[in-house]
Every structure is written in C-alpha cells, then in structure tokens.
Amino acid sequence: MAEAIRLSHQVAAGIFAIPVPIPYPFKYVNCYLLLPGPGSSDGPALVDCALDTAEARAGLEAALHEHGLGLGDLERLVVTHHHPDHYGLAGLMEAQGPTVWMLDVELERGHIFWTEPERMNQMGQALFHRHGVTDEYLADLAGEMDKTRSRVHPAQKPQTFHDGETLRLAGMRYRAVWTPGHADGHAMLLRESDGVLLAGDQILERISPNIGLWAYSYPNPLKHYLASLEKTAALGASVALPGHYRPIQDIAGRVAELRAHHGERLQFLLQLVYDQPQTCWQLSLALFPGNLNLAQRRFAWSETLAHLEYLVAEGAVKRLEPGGIVHYSR
C-alpha cells in the first residue's frame, strides 16, 4: 500500500510547515504549527492562517488532523501581518478557541484595514485618484476588493505583543522582531535557543516581497524595509522559515540580494523619470510592463509609488501636484 502524502512536514524541532493553497500567484502560504514537547503544559500554536476559501480551510484542517488536532485545540494563533493570505481565517479560528496575537503596531495600522472597510476604501480610492490611476481601472477595483474582503475575518478580540518582547509559544521562547516595510506592523519570531526565525514575508526565496505604499501605510515604506533587512541580517539566525516557498539558510546572502534588487529598481526608475512630469500610474506601466491582471497591476502601482517616494525623500526626484494630481520629475 502506498504511503499517504503528508500535508505537513517538519522544518525545525517542534515546528511543522503547512503549505495551505491560496488563489494567488504564490499558490501556497506557509502556516507553521508549533507543537509542545513532552512534559510541557502549553498547547500547540499556529503562526499565520491563510484566507477563507473552501480549499484553504480544508487544507489547513486536514494538516492539523495529521497531528490529532482541530482548530479548537490550538492555544494561540500568531499572525505575522494583516495581509489576507496570512490573516484571513483569524476571526473564524478565534471563535473556536485560540487567542489571536499580533504586534501592537499591526493592530493599530493593519488590522483596521479589515475592521473599517468604508473608511479604508474611501482613503484608497482617493490615493489612487491623486496618483493618476484611471477611472476605468478604479471601476473594476471596487469589485476586486469586495471579493478579497469576503475572504477575511478579522479577530474580534486580538491580543498584542511589542517589539523585543519574549513570547512563550508551545513551550518555547520566541523574541518578537518588528520589521516594517512589507506591512507597517510586520513581525518575525526568533527562537533564540537555536536561531530559528519565523520570518513571515520579510524575506522570500524566489522573489522580493511587495513593498507598496498604501493610503493607510507609512509614507516611506521602502526606507523602512531596507532598514528591516539590515535588522534581519544582524539577528544571526540559523534559518528563516518564510511565508512562501522554502526555508532560507543563507539569510545574509538573501538580504544582500534583496538590497541589490531594490537598488537596481531605483536606478531603473530614475531613468524613467524625465523633466516632463509623469504620474505614478504612468511610471508604473513602464516599470512593470506587460499584461498584468487587476491585482498584479495594483501591486505594481503601489511598489512604484513606494520607490518614487523614497527617491523624493532622498532628493533625487521632485514631487509636483498640478490640479491636485501628483506628478514626478527630475
């Protein structure tokens, strides 16, 4: 008889990766099950939880079942950040028993994206308009956002921890590390006993995490992200367990690659900025050419905006607002 395919696999002592299917180009998000050792009085914990689709829920529940667990058997759910593929099922899981935890900054700056949808939608639409996004695109975007929001159930009573705080999860001690950039309140968890780093989307194996500027985010997220990369390298962790793709052994090497990538993007963007003013939307079409879908085009625009505002802060690009529409020039 053929051996059954495992839906989770051990990636470090007491830590099992659960690749949960998601309807995004990543295809999977890595949720991490933390199991207590013999003699521990702590319950199991989960780091990140995917978004609410039938396939994701079934995949997560089946993987937990391999360990004799259901959602209600978890003691804690810790979310690295508020993005839907990491946070979407949080409220549904909370209702079954686990306490939901997140960085205090993320409660203030990311969690509200889901709890104040009308205000966030208005702020987002206004920012898109000010940066030259076309009415045709905006008309389609509202429906796309409604679909995303239907898949996210924010926690009703989230608990918070702060940067540098030590958390006890499944009988082990983890230090919270605040790494803003990908999200204002993005947090990693470092197990200092062996250097295992639950890295969220701070560093990924094959691609650069989206560093976008949104209506509710810090005004210079790329500056934050570059500083967070240095903070990540300085931890001296032995392995990074990321939110997507495989574990990263050479953390310092990957940090250097990501820094170089953003340096190249900044230089390329500078070549696209002329004396003739252009909007972020116009520049994003040149920086990210091709036939991107609605969501990909939105992320391309936000990434372009983050890089433009970084260049403005560095004094390399001018920011103009003729007629209330933001333009950039040399």
Side-chain angles (χ1 to χ4, degrees):
M1 181 180 295
E3 184 178 350
I5 297 175
R6 298 284 295 181
L7 301 175
S8 65
H9 56 280
Q10 189 165 1
V11 288
I15 302 178
F16 289 79
I18 303 175
V20 180
I22 54 175
Y24 298 145
F26 288 123
K27 296 185 179 179
Y28 295 90
V29 60
N30 293 325
C31 303
Y32 292 98
L33 176 63
L34 280 50
L35 294 178
S40 174
S41 61
D42 292 346
L46 189 70
V47 177
D48 289 336
C49 63
L51 74 170
D52 184 19
T53 67
E55 190 178 14
R57 252 201 271 191
L60 180 58
E61 290 176 342
L64 291 175
H65 184 70
E66 290 181 342
H67 300 273
L69 301 171
L71 295 176
D73 296 312
L74 299 171
E75 184 173 70
R76 291 190 185 187
L77 166 64
V78 183
V79 292
T80 58
H81 59 299
H82 75 285
H83 293 167
D85 51 332
H86 296 259
Y87 186 49
L89 283 168
L92 296 181
M93 293 179 63
E94 179 188 52
Q96 296 195 44
T99 306
V100 179
W101 291 78
M102 65 183 67
L103 191 75
D104 49 5
V105 178
E106 195 67 334
L107 179 66
E108 298 166 2
R109 304 191 61 86
H111 175 69
I112 59 170
F113 182 78
W114 307 113
T115 58
E116 301 179 29
E118 185 174 339
R119 183 168 74 93
M120 292 295 113
N121 285 345
Q122 290 175 351
M123 289 173 59
Q125 292 280 338
L127 185 70
F128 292 144
H129 179 74
R130 286 183 60 227
H131 284 278
V133 179
T134 63
D135 291 339
E136 178 185 6
Y137 178 84
L138 289 175
D140 294 334
L141 184 61
E144 183 75 15
M145 290 309 301
D146 287 344
K147 182 179 180 180
T148 298
R149 287 188 179 280
S150 72
R151 293 169 166 173
V152 176
H153 308 279
Q156 298 302 301
K157 297 179 180 180
Q159 305 297 306
T160 61
F161 52 88
H162 58 261
D163 183 31
E165 182 176 346
T166 297
L167 308 178
R168 183 182 174 93
L169 301 172
M172 301 292 288
R173 294 164 63 86
Y174 293 81
R175 175 159 60 91
V177 183
W178 178 34
T179 48
H182 179 63
D184 290 354
H186 188 282
M188 304 190 300
L189 299 170
L190 176 65
R191 192 164 69 182
E192 293 180 298
S193 62
D194 59 3
V196 172
L197 180 67
L198 292 157
D201 283 355
Q202 170 64 11
I203 57 173
L204 301 176
E205 175 193 37
R206 291 161 50 184
I207 66 168
S208 168
N210 175 256
I211 309 302
L213 198 163
W214 308 99
Y216 63 103
S217 66
Y218 289 135
N220 194 347
L222 182 56
K223 181 177 180 180
H224 282 291
Y225 182 66
L226 294 175
S228 292
L229 283 177
E230 296 307 307
K231 187 175 184 179
T232 301
L235 293 174
S238 59
V239 62
L241 305 179
H244 307 275
Y245 306 125
R246 297 177 303 181
I248 298 170
Q249 304 287 341
D250 183 8
I251 296 173
R254 186 59 183 143
V255 164
E257 290 172 352
L258 288 166
R259 283 192 60 87
H261 165 77
H262 286 288
E264 291 168 2
R265 299 306 282 175
L266 288 167
Q267 289 301 314
F268 185 53
L269 183 56
L270 266 177
Q271 296 173 17
L272 299 174
V273 179
Y274 309 118
D275 293 338
Q276 181 68 29
Q278 300 173 79
T279 66
C280 176
W281 179 253
Q282 291 170 322
L283 288 163
S284 73
L285 296 174
L287 187 63
F288 294 94
N291 187 25
L292 303 184
N293 66 30
L294 194 64
Q296 291 169 334
R297 183 52 64 192
R298 179 167 60 96
F299 284 117
W301 168 85
S302 71
E303 181 117 3
T304 303
L305 183 57
H307 284 71
L308 283 168
E309 288 298 316
Y310 179 90
L311 291 171
V312 169
E314 295 296 307
V317 166
K318 296 177 182 177
R319 190 179 196 270
L320 312 166
E321 293 196 42
I325 304 299
V326 179
H327 288 70
Y328 298 89
S329 70
R330 295 296 289 268

mmCIF file of all heavy atoms in Angstrom, residues 11-34:
data_model
loop_
_atom_site.group_PDB
_atom_site.id
_atom_site.type_symbol
_atom_site.label_atom_id
_atom_site.label_comp_id
_atom_site.label_asym_id
_atom_site.label_seq_id
_atom_site.Cartn_x
_atom_site.Cartn_y
_atom_site.Cartn_z
ATOM 1 N N VAL A 11 10.179 21.192 9.793
ATOM 2 C CA VAL A 11 11.229 22.065 9.269
ATOM 3 C C VAL A 11 12.222 22.489 10.337
ATOM 4 O O VAL A 11 13.284 23.033 10.032
ATOM 5 C CB VAL A 11 10.612 23.311 8.590
ATOM 6 C CG1 VAL A 11 9.950 22.934 7.267
ATOM 7 C CG2 VAL A 11 9.612 24.014 9.505
ATOM 8 N N ALA A 12 11.879 22.262 11.594
ATOM 9 C CA ALA A 12 12.769 22.538 12.722
ATOM 10 C C ALA A 12 12.196 21.788 13.911
ATOM 11 O O ALA A 12 11.064 21.287 13.861
ATOM 12 C CB ALA A 12 12.848 24.038 13.011
ATOM 13 N N ALA A 13 12.961 21.682 14.964
ATOM 14 C CA ALA A 13 12.494 20.959 16.138
ATOM 15 C C ALA A 13 11.171 21.552 16.638
ATOM 16 O O ALA A 13 11.098 22.740 16.964
ATOM 17 C CB ALA A 13 13.542 21.029 17.238
ATOM 18 N N GLY A 14 10.129 20.721 16.644
ATOM 19 C CA GLY A 14 8.838 21.162 17.150
ATOM 20 C C GLY A 14 8.054 22.064 16.220
ATOM 21 O O GLY A 14 6.998 22.575 16.612
ATOM 22 N N ILE A 15 8.522 22.264 14.982
ATOM 23 C CA ILE A 15 7.855 23.165 14.036
ATOM 24 C C ILE A 15 7.562 22.411 12.746
ATOM 25 O O ILE A 15 8.464 21.846 12.126
ATOM 26 C CB ILE A 15 8.712 24.409 13.730
ATOM 27 C CG1 ILE A 15 9.030 25.182 15.016
ATOM 28 C CG2 ILE A 15 7.985 25.318 12.736
ATOM 29 C CD1 ILE A 15 9.912 26.408 14.797
ATOM 30 N N PHE A 16 6.304 22.442 12.340
ATOM 31 C CA PHE A 16 5.871 21.790 11.111
ATOM 32 C C PHE A 16 5.306 22.837 10.153
ATOM 33 O O PHE A 16 4.473 23.657 10.539
ATOM 34 C CB PHE A 16 4.802 20.742 11.410
ATOM 35 C CG PHE A 16 5.324 19.528 12.122
ATOM 36 C CD1 PHE A 16 5.560 19.564 13.491
ATOM 37 C CD2 PHE A 16 5.607 18.366 11.430
ATOM 38 C CE1 PHE A 16 6.057 18.450 14.156
ATOM 39 C CE2 PHE A 16 6.105 17.246 12.088
ATOM 40 C CZ PHE A 16 6.341 17.287 13.453
ATOM 41 N N ALA A 17 5.781 22.808 8.917
ATOM 42 C CA ALA A 17 5.266 23.710 7.888
ATOM 43 C C ALA A 17 4.014 23.097 7.267
ATOM 44 O O ALA A 17 3.991 21.904 6.948
ATOM 45 C CB ALA A 17 6.315 23.952 6.811
ATOM 46 N N ILE A 18 2.988 23.927 7.100
ATOM 47 C CA ILE A 18 1.746 23.518 6.446
ATOM 48 C C ILE A 18 1.545 24.418 5.240
ATOM 49 O O ILE A 18 1.127 25.580 5.392
ATOM 50 C CB ILE A 18 0.541 23.624 7.397
ATOM 51 C CG1 ILE A 18 0.758 22.790 8.656
ATOM 52 C CG2 ILE A 18 -0.740 23.203 6.679
ATOM 53 C CD1 ILE A 18 -0.342 22.953 9.697
ATOM 54 N N PRO A 19 1.850 23.957 4.020
ATOM 55 C CA PRO A 19 1.601 24.779 2.828
ATOM 56 C C PRO A 19 0.100 24.762 2.501
ATOM 57 O O PRO A 19 -0.432 23.743 2.074
ATOM 58 C CB PRO A 19 2.424 24.094 1.733
ATOM 59 C CG PRO A 19 3.217 23.023 2.416
ATOM 60 C CD PRO A 19 2.498 22.687 3.671
ATOM 61 N N VAL A 20 -0.563 25.888 2.710
ATOM 62 C CA VAL A 20 -2.002 25.971 2.510
ATOM 63 C C VAL A 20 -2.278 26.631 1.158
ATOM 64 O O VAL A 20 -1.739 27.702 0.868
ATOM 65 C CB VAL A 20 -2.665 26.780 3.644
ATOM 66 C CG1 VAL A 20 -4.173 26.877 3.430
ATOM 67 C CG2 VAL A 20 -2.364 26.139 4.998
ATOM 68 N N PRO A 21 -3.107 26.024 0.313
ATOM 69 C CA PRO A 21 -3.368 26.610 -1.010
ATOM 70 C C PRO A 21 -4.103 27.936 -0.925
ATOM 71 O O PRO A 21 -5.040 28.100 -0.140
ATOM 72 C CB PRO A 21 -4.225 25.538 -1.703
ATOM 73 C CG PRO A 21 -4.808 24.729 -0.598
ATOM 74 C CD PRO A 21 -3.811 24.747 0.516
ATOM 75 N N ILE A 22 -3.673 28.894 -1.748
ATOM 76 C CA ILE A 22 -4.309 30.208 -1.819
ATOM 77 C C ILE A 22 -4.467 30.596 -3.291
ATOM 78 O O ILE A 22 -3.675 30.172 -4.132
ATOM 79 C CB ILE A 22 -3.484 31.285 -1.074
ATOM 80 C CG1 ILE A 22 -2.028 31.317 -1.579
ATOM 81 C CG2 ILE A 22 -3.530 31.073 0.431
ATOM 82 C CD1 ILE A 22 -1.183 32.422 -0.989
ATOM 83 N N PRO A 23 -5.465 31.411 -3.623
ATOM 84 C CA PRO A 23 -5.731 31.755 -5.028
ATOM 85 C C PRO A 23 -4.898 32.934 -5.527
ATOM 86 O O PRO A 23 -5.401 33.861 -6.145
ATOM 87 C CB PRO A 23 -7.226 32.104 -4.999
ATOM 88 C CG PRO A 23 -7.432 32.672 -3.642
ATOM 89 C CD PRO A 23 -6.521 31.902 -2.722
ATOM 90 N N TYR A 24 -3.605 32.896 -5.258
ATOM 91 C CA TYR A 24 -2.679 33.947 -5.661
ATOM 92 C C TYR A 24 -1.501 33.307 -6.406
ATOM 93 O O TYR A 24 -1.308 32.086 -6.332
ATOM 94 C CB TYR A 24 -2.167 34.724 -4.437
ATOM 95 C CG TYR A 24 -3.224 35.452 -3.651
ATOM 96 C CD1 TYR A 24 -3.124 35.570 -2.273
ATOM 97 C CD2 TYR A 24 -4.322 36.031 -4.278
ATOM 98 C CE1 TYR A 24 -4.086 36.251 -1.535
ATOM 99 C CE2 TYR A 24 -5.288 36.715 -3.558
ATOM 100 C CZ TYR A 24 -5.169 36.814 -2.190
ATOM 101 O OH TYR A 24 -6.130 37.478 -1.468
ATOM 102 N N PRO A 25 -0.699 34.107 -7.095
ATOM 103 C CA PRO A 25 0.449 33.527 -7.816
ATOM 104 C C PRO A 25 1.391 32.703 -6.945
ATOM 105 O O PRO A 25 2.050 31.786 -7.443
ATOM 106 C CB PRO A 25 1.153 34.769 -8.385
ATOM 107 C CG PRO A 25 0.052 35.766 -8.568
ATOM 108 C CD PRO A 25 -0.859 35.551 -7.397
ATOM 109 N N PHE A 26 1.468 33.017 -5.640
ATOM 110 C CA PHE A 26 2.303 32.223 -4.740
ATOM 111 C C PHE A 26 1.864 30.753 -4.709
ATOM 112 O O PHE A 26 2.650 29.862 -4.455
ATOM 113 C CB PHE A 26 2.194 32.752 -3.306
ATOM 114 C CG PHE A 26 2.871 34.064 -3.068
ATOM 115 C CD1 PHE A 26 2.151 35.145 -2.577
ATOM 116 C CD2 PHE A 26 4.216 34.220 -3.302
ATOM 117 C CE1 PHE A 26 2.772 36.358 -2.334
ATOM 118 C CE2 PHE A 26 4.849 35.417 -3.056
ATOM 119 C CZ PHE A 26 4.124 36.489 -2.571
ATOM 120 N N LYS A 27 0.546 30.541 -4.878
ATOM 121 C CA LYS A 27 -0.105 29.222 -4.840
ATOM 122 C C LYS A 27 -0.265 28.666 -3.436
ATOM 123 O O LYS A 27 -1.253 27.986 -3.131
ATOM 124 C CB LYS A 27 0.613 28.207 -5.732
ATOM 125 C CG LYS A 27 0.569 28.568 -7.207
ATOM 126 C CD LYS A 27 1.181 27.467 -8.057
ATOM 127 C CE LYS A 27 1.092 27.845 -9.542
ATOM 128 N NZ LYS A 27 1.698 26.796 -10.404
ATOM 129 N N TYR A 28 0.694 28.916 -2.548
ATOM 130 C CA TYR A 28 0.615 28.426 -1.176
ATOM 131 C C TYR A 28 1.122 29.484 -0.207
ATOM 132 O O TYR A 28 1.997 30.279 -0.542
ATOM 133 C CB TYR A 28 1.457 27.152 -0.985
ATOM 134 C CG TYR A 28 0.958 25.969 -1.769
ATOM 135 C CD1 TYR A 28 1.411 25.733 -3.067
ATOM 136 C CD2 TYR A 28 0.031 25.091 -1.224
ATOM 137 C CE1 TYR A 28 0.941 24.650 -3.802
ATOM 138 C CE2 TYR A 28 -0.443 23.998 -1.955
ATOM 139 C CZ TYR A 28 0.013 23.792 -3.235
ATOM 140 O OH TYR A 28 -0.458 22.723 -3.953
ATOM 141 N N VAL A 29 0.571 29.465 0.997
ATOM 142 C CA VAL A 29 1.143 30.220 2.099
ATOM 143 C C VAL A 29 1.587 29.213 3.140
ATOM 144 O O VAL A 29 0.897 28.212 3.386
ATOM 145 C CB VAL A 29 0.134 31.229 2.705
ATOM 146 C CG1 VAL A 29 -1.110 30.525 3.252
ATOM 147 C CG2 VAL A 29 0.796 32.068 3.798
ATOM 148 N N ASN A 30 2.738 29.433 3.720
ATOM 149 C CA ASN A 30 3.240 28.536 4.757
ATOM 150 C C ASN A 30 2.698 28.949 6.111
ATOM 151 O O ASN A 30 3.034 30.032 6.622
ATOM 152 C CB ASN A 30 4.767 28.562 4.799
ATOM 153 C CG ASN A 30 5.400 27.968 3.568
ATOM 154 O OD1 ASN A 30 4.882 27.011 3.000
ATOM 155 N ND2 ASN A 30 6.524 28.525 3.139
ATOM 156 N N CYS A 31 1.862 28.103 6.695
ATOM 157 C CA CYS A 31 1.468 28.249 8.087
ATOM 158 C C CYS A 31 2.365 27.313 8.900
ATOM 159 O O CYS A 31 2.730 26.239 8.421
ATOM 160 C CB CYS A 31 -0.001 27.900 8.280
ATOM 161 S SG CYS A 31 -1.123 28.875 7.248
ATOM 162 N N TYR A 32 2.713 27.703 10.096
ATOM 163 C CA TYR A 32 3.644 26.907 10.888
ATOM 164 C C TYR A 32 2.984 26.455 12.181
ATOM 165 O O TYR A 32 2.533 27.278 12.988
ATOM 166 C CB TYR A 32 4.919 27.702 11.172
ATOM 167 C CG TYR A 32 5.742 27.943 9.927
ATOM 168 C CD1 TYR A 32 5.655 29.141 9.239
ATOM 169 C CD2 TYR A 32 6.570 26.950 9.412
ATOM 170 C CE1 TYR A 32 6.391 29.365 8.074
ATOM 171 C CE2 TYR A 32 7.306 27.152 8.259
ATOM 172 C CZ TYR A 32 7.213 28.364 7.599
ATOM 173 O OH TYR A 32 7.932 28.560 6.445
ATOM 174 N N LEU A 33 2.944 25.138 12.349
ATOM 175 C CA LEU A 33 2.389 24.534 13.554
ATOM 176 C C LEU A 33 3.514 24.314 14.550
ATOM 177 O O LEU A 33 4.504 23.646 14.244
ATOM 178 C CB LEU A 33 1.717 23.205 13.212
ATOM 179 C CG LEU A 33 1.171 22.391 14.384
ATOM 180 C CD1 LEU A 33 0.063 23.147 15.106
ATOM 181 C CD2 LEU A 33 0.683 21.026 13.894
ATOM 182 N N LEU A 34 3.347 24.877 15.741
ATOM 183 C CA LEU A 34 4.325 24.750 16.816
ATOM 184 C C LEU A 34 3.769 23.775 17.844
ATOM 185 O O LEU A 34 2.697 24.019 18.429
ATOM 186 C CB LEU A 34 4.600 26.108 17.470
ATOM 187 C CG LEU A 34 5.557 27.085 16.778
ATOM 188 C CD1 LEU A 34 5.236 27.290 15.304
ATOM 189 C CD2 LEU A 34 5.562 28.428 17.516
#
